[in-house]
Amino acid sequence: MPGFGDTPSLKGRAENHERIAHSQRPKKIGQGLKVNQDIVKSYNRPNNLDSSTSESRSGKNYNLIPTILQRLKCLSDEPEESPFFKSVGLEAIVMRERLKEFETQIAQLFRGWREPGWKAPPMLESLRQVYIDNRKAGLDAQLRFAFHGFVANHEFTKSDILNQASIADLRYPTEWYPATRAVQRTIHLHVGPTNSGKTYHALKRLEQAKSGVYAGPLRLLAHEVYSRLNAKGKACNLITGDERVIVDEREAYMSSCTVEMVPINLDVEVAVVDEIQMIGNLERGWAWTQAVLGLKAQELHLCGEIRAVPLIKELAAAMGDTLKIHHYERLSPLRTMTTSLDGNLENLRKGDCVVAFSRVGIHALRKDIEKVTKKRVAVVYGSLPPEIRAQQAKLFNDPDNDYDILVASDAIGMGLNLSIKRIVFETTSKHNGISFQTLAVSDIKQIAGRAGRYRTAIQAENDARDGDRSSIVDPANSKVSFTPPPSKSLGLVTSLEKIDLPIIRRAMESEAQPLLTAGILPPATIVTRFATYFPPATPFSYILLRLHELARMHPRFHLCALRDQIGIADAIQSIKSLTIGDRLTFCAAPASMRDPGMSTTLEAFARCVANQYGGGLLDIHDLNLEVLDEEVTADKQYLRQLETLHKSLVLYLWLSYRFTGIFTSRAMASHAKGLVEQNIDTVLAVFSANSDIRQKLKNLREKLILRQFKNQIEVEGVGADSTATIPAIEKTIHLSEMKLEEVVPEEEAIAIPA
């Protein structure tokens, strides 16, 4: 395959990045079992984390081994009518024999573990990590997957495994888009810091085109570009995962999309892909890679950070496309303050934007700021309805009203245009659904860069109506043809609390590492072919893990992590008559298995698809639509019910565009979703009136960060001889989560949906 020559200066870092990405993939199935491993090993890439660090990471803490053996015994004792037995597809006698052999193999691996000098097998580390993450449920699932691998090594011939490995060869994803390879494209890469005009220039070129598409990371950005193009008089459709606004099918030659929804097979003159650095994301990177490799555009404009340049050069060379790089400088100065606000909201001033990372936090801040400063506060976050969000942004941007302060989520970091003079971080840590984590350097810089914005969305929209023709990119030139005069508006960055300011200052003085790999996921055709090698009752989650395990990758790509896909696959495994394509569609759905009730909702929706009827909103009795008839109260249980219903309705709308003949109540679901959002915001506004909430969240966040760091030292054995046992660590983690539940209704109230 031509192209993709490794850049010598980046090769070492590429290998390191590959190890990091690999460590976040599913654990090896049947790892450490000496059964036909000579065949499998030839196609499994080495897991350096397993082989080189298993002993140091485990240290002397082998207390998990009795639990492993006990859970293994429970696995062997499962009845023959259990779903696990049926999923393997063996006769009962053969199944019992295989289970006995499997149990013997595991026992041999851990023989002598109490003796001094015993060396832990790599499999222990894999099981240990899933136990920390998901306790006994995770351990049971991992043992089941290991057993499936054990059986596969018995049942599959060498030829079968070679064929599976051949299908799992994912080294050349450029070949997945033959129609696009037939198009001679010119790629314009616009790179620079925030507030440098890179996306502005790309959008000006899109406005000039007869046909085109915009792809952004957030629904907010898709809505903003959709509004801008229609204001310009360019009929533009809106396409997101759970929403479609078709302006006019005959006249609309423009589409504004979230990046996962880009129309790959549509011929367009210009395509703009925003935030291209997300191509390296370990979970969503596949969508940007798909856009870069697959969009059939004469001109492909990529906008993002300068650290994407080396990787895009490699991709362009491999595809045979012409690459032109446009460099931009920031249009207004940006400075990090030497002092924080010291936790005093009275220090806030007109034009400030306080960035928080939870809906509870945003509403609590709004209440506290209005109470302390006597100023009006606007709020902007991802799950606000577009109309309300636009109204709030307009109130803040208008200098002639009394909305002086904005409280917003980190969604503003992805390009929303607001007249912000100073960014104030409420915190530098964010809950990822499992624990609090410090923001990455690139995230801090991106959010901070929104201070001192050169233009606002309102100005851009007004310019569009007035026919502004300034600042375009000349397709024949590799340089920007015109740069607007720099703004004299100084952007400032600081934190609300003293503890966060050093982290911000260090991040602002640092440079993010260059991107080394682009994310991919196996196409549906490959997954379907791969699945044909397994018995019909084989768990689809196992098939996905097996494919990821055998995948062969080019050094310039990484497999995106299977975060929720495995849980979704297991949730709908019991539903018969679903095709592989159906299961793949559900696995791509916007559903988190951490959400209460999501497993039941997925099963109900999957049953509708399997039966090919019953998808009317009122026909699905698992949806608690009755909660909309209840009186709006500040009760936590009521808020939980609203949140659960909202996620179910979003999923319903998403599925209604994939199974149009089954989920037929799209208009009703959209209306119900709007009612739920209104009720949620009403509840949060009342619930957040408690002045102690923000302080409790602050104290809890700081304690969890310190506890997380302590756990990391104990688990990894960094600079200390770890003495903590797995159960103790598990107790600490789940104790923290229980304390969190006492403060906020549920985990999802912490992480704002984009």
Side-chain angles (χ1 to χ4, degrees), residues 444-457:
I444 291 176
K445 296 183 76 170
Q446 193 165 41
I447 295 170
R450 299 306 162 189
R453 293 290 294 171
Y454 177 75
R455 302 165 65 85
T456 68

Side-chain angles (χ1 to χ4, degrees), residues 226-227 229-231 233-239 244-256:
Y226 158 78
S227 299
L229 290 176
N230 281 296
K234 305 283 289 188
C236 178
N237 297 326
L238 176 67
I239 304 174
R244 304 281 195 282
V245 179
I246 306 300
V247 177
D248 189 329
E249 293 183 356
R250 296 167 298 175
E251 299 295 334
Y253 299 104
M254 296 282 179
S255 296
S256 183

Side-chain angles (χ1 to χ4, degrees), residues 264-469:
I264 295 299
N265 296 318
L266 182 66
D267 290 290
V268 295
E269 182 181 346
V270 174
V272 176
V273 180
D274 212 353
E275 306 295 348
I276 188 58
Q277 71 276 359
M278 291 285 289
I279 197 172
N281 188 275
L282 292 178
E283 292 182 5
R284 292 183 68 196
W286 65 269
W288 276 263
T289 305
Q290 174 183 263
V292 171
L293 301 186
L295 272 170
K296 294 177 66 179
Q298 298 172 32
E299 293 179 32
L300 177 60
H301 293 256
L302 310 177
C303 309
E305 299 174 15
I306 195 169
R307 61 195 180 108
V309 170
L311 180 59
I312 298 302
K313 281 184 176 179
E314 293 281 352
L315 294 177
M319 294 182 292
D321 294 328
T322 301
L323 176 64
K324 297 183 179 181
I325 303 174
H326 310 267
H327 291 272
Y328 298 80
E329 299 296 330
R330 186 176 168 86
L331 299 174
S332 62
L334 181 66
R335 190 177 70 202
T336 307
M337 297 177 64
T338 57
T339 59
S340 71
L341 301 192
D342 200 18
N344 188 354
L345 297 177
E346 292 181 347
N347 292 327
L348 290 170
R349 57 199 188 206
K350 185 178 178 65
D352 281 352
C353 173
V354 185
V355 179
F357 301 102
S358 75
R359 281 204 277 185
V360 169
I362 286 175
H363 284 278
L365 266 173
R366 178 179 63 82
K367 283 284 185 181
D368 288 349
I369 293 171
E370 288 182 340
K371 181 179 178 180
V372 171
T373 66
K374 310 302 180 186
K375 299 178 185 295
R376 302 293 298 275
V377 178
V379 294
V380 170
Y381 55 88
S383 58
L384 273 178
E387 298 80 9
I388 297 177
R389 192 167 56 233
Q391 179 192 48
Q392 291 288 304
K394 188 173 183 178
L395 288 171
F396 176 71
N397 285 335
D398 188 349
D400 298 326
N401 64 30
D402 55 353
Y403 281 82
D404 295 339
I405 297 170
L406 176 69
V407 178
S409 73
D410 52 337
I412 64 166
M414 289 289 188
L416 288 179
N417 290 312
L418 296 158
S419 299
I420 299 169
K421 295 179 181 178
R422 182 172 64 173
I423 288 286
V424 179
F425 284 85
E426 186 211 12
T427 175
T428 54
S429 62
K430 180 180 179 181
H431 202 272
N432 63 3
I434 299 174
S435 62
F436 283 101
Q437 289 188 341
T438 302
L439 296 174
V441 169
S442 58
D443 293 334
I444 291 176
K445 296 183 76 170
Q446 193 165 41
I447 295 170
R450 299 306 162 189
R453 293 290 294 171
Y454 177 75
R455 302 165 65 85
T456 68
I458 293 177
Q459 291 171 328
E461 201 168 293
N462 290 338
D463 289 345
R465 293 193 184 97
D466 296 339
D468 175 35
R469 299 181 181 279

Side-chain angles (χ1 to χ4, degrees), residues 94-240:
V94 179
M95 180 74 169
R96 292 295 181 192
E97 291 177 354
R98 293 287 182 266
L99 278 169
K100 188 174 181 179
E101 294 171 4
F102 180 66
E103 189 175 353
T104 301
Q105 289 281 355
I106 298 293
Q108 288 177 350
L109 286 176
F110 298 138
R111 179 176 296 173
W113 67 273
R114 289 188 174 90
E115 299 175 3
W118 180 76
K119 186 175 181 180
M123 187 182 189
L124 177 61
E125 177 61 20
S126 299
L127 295 173
R128 188 170 186 265
Q129 288 301 311
V130 298
Y131 185 76
I132 291 175
D133 292 340
N134 296 302
R135 299 188 290 175
K136 290 182 179 179
L139 189 59
D140 289 347
Q142 192 73 6
L143 287 172
R144 286 190 178 94
F145 288 135
F147 179 71
H148 276 287
F150 179 84
V151 171
N153 290 335
H154 268 86
E155 303 301 321
F156 289 138
T157 65
K158 184 175 181 179
S159 175
D160 287 336
I161 294 180
L162 289 173
N163 288 334
Q164 290 178 26
S166 176
I167 295 173
D169 188 346
L170 309 179
R171 289 176 296 171
Y172 309 115
T174 55
E175 298 178 354
W176 298 346
Y177 310 95
T180 306
R181 297 289 76 79
V183 178
Q184 184 59 48
R185 303 187 304 175
T186 299
I187 299 177
H188 292 270
L189 179 58
H190 306 262
V191 294
T194 54
N195 196 17
S196 60
K198 52 187 182 293
T199 305
Y200 172 80
H201 284 84
L203 289 177
K204 294 301 292 185
R205 179 67 188 100
L206 181 61
E207 289 175 5
Q208 297 175 340
K210 294 181 180 179
S211 62
V213 60
Y214 168 84
L218 303 176
R219 288 176 295 172
L220 285 76
L221 295 180
H223 273 280
E224 187 171 298
V225 173
Y226 158 78
S227 299
R228 171 177 175 159
L229 290 176
N230 281 296
K232 177 71 177 177
K234 305 283 289 188
C236 178
N237 297 326
L238 176 67
I239 304 174
T240 68

Side-chain angles (χ1 to χ4, degrees), residues 18 21-22 24-29 43-45 164 167-170 282-283 286 520-523 526-527 530 534 540-553 558-563 565-566 584:
E18 182 65 12
H22 190 74
Q24 299 196 20
R25 297 182 195 137
K27 308 299 183 293
K28 294 290 185 183
I29 299 169
Y43 297 104
N44 280 343
R45 284 177 296 154
Q164 290 178 26
I167 295 173
D169 188 346
L170 309 179
L282 292 178
E283 292 182 5
W286 65 269
I520 62 171
L521 282 177
I526 288 179
V527 178
F530 190 79
F534 299 86
F540 190 60
S541 56
Y542 170 73
I543 295 174
L544 292 176
L545 286 171
R546 181 77 171 183
L547 177 57
H548 275 238
E549 176 184 318
L550 295 179
R552 301 176 68 187
M553 302 293 296
H558 68 263
L559 263 180
C560 287
L562 295 171
R563 184 173 182 179
Q565 292 95 320
I566 298 301
L584 274 173

